[in-house]
């Protein structure tokens, strides 16, 4: 979905609070029609970055350009702010009806009553909430309130929208319904968006690009698959659900393939490092296969090890299997596979994973 | 007990006969206190909003001073306004001491900190991100402030009631700067003090009942507005 044009370009953005630098972004670009998610733990600076991008928080330094035009003066900041919308974690509705709430941004812009009515009804239809138009905002459920807040933001037809964990306070079915609608509406309206979340699944589902934040900095930025499968460090790895982060010693390096030794096992994967160096690598739990027999003959996977199941932890959609192959591994299995394989704690099995499922984070002496 | 019964009977008689003097006193009370309250709303809401939104060193001290001002003793206000308006005082040239205008000024001085203090609390009680949300909706700073005041309207109405209640019931400042001049600056409270001092308890009692009814009527009206706005 992302085009080449940088809709919003930021350079050397710094935010200082109480003498402490809380945000440092050397460069940030949001493309036209692109949905970018900012993921990271609480306190990583996601909200601060959103506020700074929306020019709602004074930046200590840095330059911002919107469609190539610098946003520097009060006047350009105000004009810029009128082209964007922002939705916060709390719905922050006004003490008025749903209609008046959705109309508020339009009233602020001085649109005529007729135009406002048309636009509001159109937006309410888009969000499937026409029946709530006359209801007082105070009588809405949490999901309806957040939906109203999103409708209020989209009613002004923003070119760009900043969403600060808008689903975090909602129960799972409400969250799912609202997320599905947001996904549809972002597509239909071609609105560029930046979504802050600490939920990687939410980010994966909605975004074209992911940026991982830690302590006020963006530590990795790229397509979701790349961030999920090739984290740049242990922090990103753990944050994107990479449960197997291991360290081994390189014993062979040949034609772009490395062989690592780890607890009497040999693990092969593509990469480059010097022999004798230690390497940190990771494997996604869903890329690990478990079987009752040695699959050596029938699998193309290079890495096959005998293992013992230490623990099976149900997590709802799948089962989390803790394995001991001399080193610890975590694999995910569906409930169905678990039943088919007759797996139980203490059982001896074989684990396998492809060389390409392994991502090397770094190597060194 | 007889005093109470006589007083009550006298009050009823005064009310039903529409005694001209009592009517004039009542109307002046209303005029002075309503005008003073309106002035305090303009001054109190604007300064209170500014105080709530601005961030500056010493803000807590100022808010504490305003909160202390909410309990400003009317006699102290009366004394200061008298000094300021005294013939040789800084505003003596205005020649308004012992006029209803002086009473309005004194009452506005009493009510403004009350309205200001309640405004600060009401605005600060709004969700902290609401300001940013309003700006993100494209509002100018002025629009943002007006929307915030609108959002705080229910607690602000309590401020209006507290301000009005504070001034319609005060006597110290009104007597000091108004002088309780018959037919000119005599209001319900000053008249009550005088009648009771002269031993005319029935008249004092009658005036008190009128004062209570007046307070009740105004507050009932404001409460109706406030409760109608509240979601059920």
């Amino acid at each position: 979905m992302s085009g080449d044009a940088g809709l919003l370009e930021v350079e050397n953005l710094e935010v200082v609070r109480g003498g402490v630098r809380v945000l440092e972004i050397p460069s940030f670009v949001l493309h036209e029609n692109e949905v970018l998610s900012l993921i990271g733990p609480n306190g990583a600076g996601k909200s601060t970055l959103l506020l700074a991008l929306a020019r709602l928080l004074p930046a200590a330094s840095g330059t911002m350009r919107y469609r190539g035009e610098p946003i520097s003066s009060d006047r350009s900041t105000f004009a810029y702010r009128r082209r964007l919308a922002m939705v916060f974690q709390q719905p922050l509705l006004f003490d008025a009806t749903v209609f008046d709430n959705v109309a508020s941004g339009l009233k602020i812009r001085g649109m005529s009553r007729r135009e406002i009515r048309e636009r509001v009804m159109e937006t309410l239809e888009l969000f499937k909430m026409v029946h709530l138009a006359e209801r007082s905002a105070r009588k809405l459920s949490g999901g309806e309130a957040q939906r109203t807040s999103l409708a209020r933001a989209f009613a002004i037809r923003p070119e760009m929208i900043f969403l600060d964990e808008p689903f975090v306070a909602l129960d799972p079915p409400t969250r799912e319904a609202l997320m599905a609608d947001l996904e549809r509406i972002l597509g239909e309206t071609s609105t560029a968006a930046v979504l802050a979340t600490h939920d990687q699944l939410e980010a994966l589902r909605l975004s074209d690009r992911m940026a991982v934040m830690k302590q006020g900095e963006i530590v990795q930025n790229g397509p979701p698959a790349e961030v999920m499968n090739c984290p740049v460090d242990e922090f990103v790895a753990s944050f994107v659900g990479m449960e197997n982060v291991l360290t081994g010693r390189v014993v062979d390096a040949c034609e772009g393939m490395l062989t690592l030794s780890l607890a009497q096992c040999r693990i092969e994967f593509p990469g480059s490092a010097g022999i004798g160096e230690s390497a940190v690598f990771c494997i996604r739990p869903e890329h690990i296969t478990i079987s009752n027999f040695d699959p050596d003959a029938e699998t193309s996977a290079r890495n096959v090890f005998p293992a013992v199941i230490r623990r099976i932890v149900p997590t709802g959609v799948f089962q989390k299997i803790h394995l001991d192959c001399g080193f610890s591994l975590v694999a995910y299995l569906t409930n169905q596979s678990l039943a088919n394989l007759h797996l139980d704690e203490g059982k001896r099995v074989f684990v396998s994973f492809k060389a390409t499922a392994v991502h090397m984070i770094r190597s060194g002496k | 007990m007889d005093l109470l019964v006589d007083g009550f009977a006298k009050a009823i008689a005064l009310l039903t006969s529409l005694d001209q003097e009592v009517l004039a006193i009542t109307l002046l009370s209303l005029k002075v206190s309503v005008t003073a309250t309106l002035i305090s709303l303009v001054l109190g809401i604007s300064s209170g909003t500014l105080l709530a939104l601005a961030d500056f060193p010493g803000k807590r001290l100022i808010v504490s001073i305003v909160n202390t001002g909410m309990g400003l003793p009317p006699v102290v206000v009366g004394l200061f306004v008298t000094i300021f308006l005294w013939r040789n005082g800084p505003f003596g040239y205005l020649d308004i001491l012992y006029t209803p205008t002086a009473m309005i000024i004194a009452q506005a001085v009493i009510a403004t900190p009350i309205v200001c203090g309640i405004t600060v609390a009401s605005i600060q009680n709004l969700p902290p991100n609401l300001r940013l949300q309003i700006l993100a909706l494209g509002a100018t700073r002025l629009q943002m402030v007006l929307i915030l005041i609108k959002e705080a309207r229910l607690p602000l109405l309590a401020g209006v009631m507290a301000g009005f209640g504070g001034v319609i019931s005060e006597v110290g400042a009104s007597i000091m700067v108004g002088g309780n001049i018959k037919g000119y600056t005599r209001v319900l409270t000053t008249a009550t003090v005088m009648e009771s001092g002269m031993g005319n308890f029935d008249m004092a009692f009658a005036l008190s009942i009128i004062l209570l009814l007046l307070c009740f009527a105004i507050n009932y009206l404001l409460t109706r507005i406030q409760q109608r706005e509240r979601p059920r």
Side-chain angles (χ1 to χ4, degrees):
Chain A
M1 276 209 285
S2 61
D4 288 322
L7 182 67
L8 177 65
E9 293 162 318
V10 176
E11 267 169 37
N12 303 319
L13 181 68
E14 272 189 19
V15 173
V16 175
R17 259 188 199 157
V20 180
R21 191 164 60 195
V22 292
L23 194 72
E24 189 180 11
I25 308 290
S27 120
F28 175 96
V29 178
L30 181 69
H31 299 286
E32 197 99 47
N33 302 345
E34 181 185 41
V35 179
L36 167 74
S37 47
L38 296 175
I39 66 168
N42 291 332
K46 304 185 296 287
S47 301
T48 309
L49 176 55
L50 283 187
L51 290 175
L53 289 180
R55 282 284 179 153
L56 292 169
L57 201 66
S61 67
T63 56
M64 283 175 68
R65 298 176 87 83
Y66 184 74
R67 293 191 189 282
E69 297 289 321
I71 310 159
S72 46
S73 62
D74 282 353
R75 202 182 165 144
S76 58
T77 301
F78 179 68
Y80 166 72
R81 221 186 266 139
R82 284 221 159 168
R83 298 160 89 165
L84 61 87
M86 177 140 186
V87 176
F88 290 80
Q89 220 174 82
Q90 317 93 321
L92 297 172
L93 296 181
F94 300 121
D95 188 5
T97 62
V98 167
F99 183 96
D100 286 335
N101 266 286
V102 177
S104 55
L106 309 173
K107 275 187 200 157
I108 284 170
R109 284 163 177 72
M111 280 172 71
S112 76
R113 286 173 74 109
R114 197 178 54 81
E115 278 176 306
I116 289 178
R117 174 136 212 105
E118 274 173 22
R119 180 77 73 83
V120 171
M121 294 318 287
E122 209 174 283
T123 312
L124 289 175
E125 232 158 79
L126 196 63
F127 280 87
K128 301 177 196 157
M129 54 191 311
V130 175
H131 60 291
L132 294 176
E134 292 312 316
R135 187 167 297 181
S136 158
R138 293 208 193 185
K139 290 187 196 158
L140 299 174
S141 69
E144 288 166 343
Q146 197 54 284
R147 193 171 274 269
T148 307
S149 185
L150 278 164
R152 174 173 65 183
F154 274 95
I156 58 177
R157 300 223 175 123
E159 295 170 19
M160 188 167 61
I161 187 164
F162 299 131
L163 305 153
D164 189 1
E165 310 215 27
F167 309 116
V168 78
L170 306 179
D171 59 72
T174 310
R175 188 189 173 103
E176 169 55 36
L178 196 50
M179 212 186 300
D181 283 331
L182 178 64
E183 197 179 3
R184 170 178 58 84
I185 292 161
L186 280 173
E188 280 175 16
T189 56
S190 305
T191 313
V194 184
L195 167 75
T197 175
H198 58 249
D199 181 346
Q200 39 151 335
L201 296 176
E202 200 174 293
L204 262 181
R205 173 165 176 183
L206 293 173
S207 53
D208 307 307
R209 194 152 55 92
M210 265 163 98
V212 186
M213 289 195 74
K214 179 189 173 187
Q215 293 172 354
E217 292 177 33
I218 293 179
V219 287
Q220 189 170 5
N221 174 7
E226 183 187 301
V227 176
M228 299 294 283
N229 295 318
C230 308
V232 292
D233 61 18
E234 290 97 318
F235 168 80
V236 177
S238 69
F239 201 77
V240 298
M242 192 67 98
E243 296 201 44
N244 303 303
V245 179
L246 302 161
T247 307
R249 192 155 294 282
V250 179
V251 290
D252 191 23
C254 175
E255 290 176 0
M257 284 301 280
L258 292 178
T259 306
L260 254 79
S261 154
L262 175 59
Q264 273 93 53
C265 294
R266 296 282 160 124
I267 298 170
E268 291 179 32
F269 58 87
S272 63
I275 293 175
E277 284 184 350
S278 81
V280 179
F281 61 100
C282 55
I283 313 155
R284 291 201 72 83
E286 59 270 31
H287 292 161
I288 293 173
T289 311
I290 299 179
S291 51
N292 283 317
F293 306 101
D294 187 346
D296 219 4
E298 53 199 73
T299 180
S300 59
R302 288 213 182 208
N303 301 295
V304 181
F305 310 104
V308 178
I309 297 177
R310 289 293 179 215
R311 270 183 76 204
I312 301 179
V313 183
T315 61
V317 254
F318 51 77
Q319 304 274 341
K320 193 166 165 179
I321 320 282
H322 292 263
L323 299 143
D324 181 359
C325 334
F327 54 93
S328 295
L329 272 185
V330 173
Y332 292 160
L333 277 189
T334 60
N335 296 340
Q336 188 62 45
S337 310
L338 187 82
N340 290 347
L341 289 166
H342 305 290
L343 297 184
D344 226 331
E345 290 178 2
K347 188 169 180 179
R348 294 188 169 278
V349 290
F350 287 89
V351 297
S352 56
F353 50 88
K354 292 184 176 179
T356 51
V358 181
H359 165 69
M360 188 169 81
I361 295 176
R362 62 187 162 82
S363 63
K365 294 289 176 202
Chain B
M1 203 56 204
D2 282 353
L3 275 177
L4 281 178
V5 177
D6 289 349
F8 199 70
K10 179 106 179 184
I12 301 287
L14 283 172
L15 282 173
T16 48
S17 68
L18 290 174
D19 182 280
Q20 284 306 305
E21 192 186 338
V22 173
L23 198 65
I25 290 175
T26 308
L27 286 180
L28 182 68
S29 282
L30 257 182
K31 186 182 137 195
V32 169
S33 295
V34 167
T35 314
T37 307
L38 289 178
I39 293 171
S40 74
L41 288 184
V42 174
L43 297 177
I45 292 181
S46 53
S47 60
T49 309
L50 201 72
L51 201 51
L53 297 182
D55 249 336
F56 55 90
K59 174 170 167 167
R60 280 190 192 166
L61 179 71
I62 304 272
V63 173
S64 303
I65 292 172
V66 169
N67 287 338
T68 309
M70 290 173 79
L72 216 52
V75 282
V76 176
V77 176
L79 175 65
F80 275 94
V81 175
T82 305
I83 292 170
F84 272 87
L85 299 180
W86 197 252
R87 216 176 300 130
N88 310 325
F91 297 104
Y93 65 92
L94 292 173
D95 202 17
I96 52 170
L97 193 59
Y98 305 124
T99 66
T101 310
M103 294 162 78
I104 290 172
I105 292 172
Q107 292 198 355
V109 171
I110 294 168
T112 300
I114 298 176
V115 176
C116 179
I118 291 179
T119 304
V120 172
S122 311
I123 299 279
Q124 285 186 335
N125 217 14
L126 294 170
N129 274 344
L130 188 62
R131 261 183 264 176
L132 299 177
Q133 174 70 82
I134 296 169
L135 289 175
L137 281 166
T140 59
R141 290 201 80 78
L142 179 66
Q143 280 176 322
M144 186 264 283
V145 168
L146 293 177
I147 293 173
L148 284 178
I149 292 173
K150 192 177 165 207
E151 281 304 294
R153 63 194 182 273
L154 296 188
L156 284 182
L157 269 174
V160 178
M161 287 189 246
F164 178 76
V167 293
I168 189 86
S169 61
E170 73 78 30
V171 58
S174 290
I175 267 196
M176 290 170 84
V177 306
N180 192 29
I181 301 163
K182 188 179 177 183
Y184 185 47
T185 58
R186 183 164 299 170
V187 288
L188 284 167
T189 50
T190 57
T192 306
V193 169
M194 185 193 71
E195 296 292 351
S196 130
M198 297 194 315
N200 299 332
F201 292 120
D202 50 356
M203 185 64 176
F205 190 55
L207 292 168
S208 302
I209 287 177
I210 295 171
L211 181 61
L212 277 176
L213 285 175
L214 198 66
C215 281
F216 177 75
I218 299 262
N219 278 303
Y220 179 72
L221 200 76
L222 291 171
T223 310
R224 278 286 297 266
I225 299 171
Q226 191 188 40
Q227 300 296 316
R228 192 186 57 207
E229 286 269 344
R230 250 190 58 203
R232 276 164 288 272

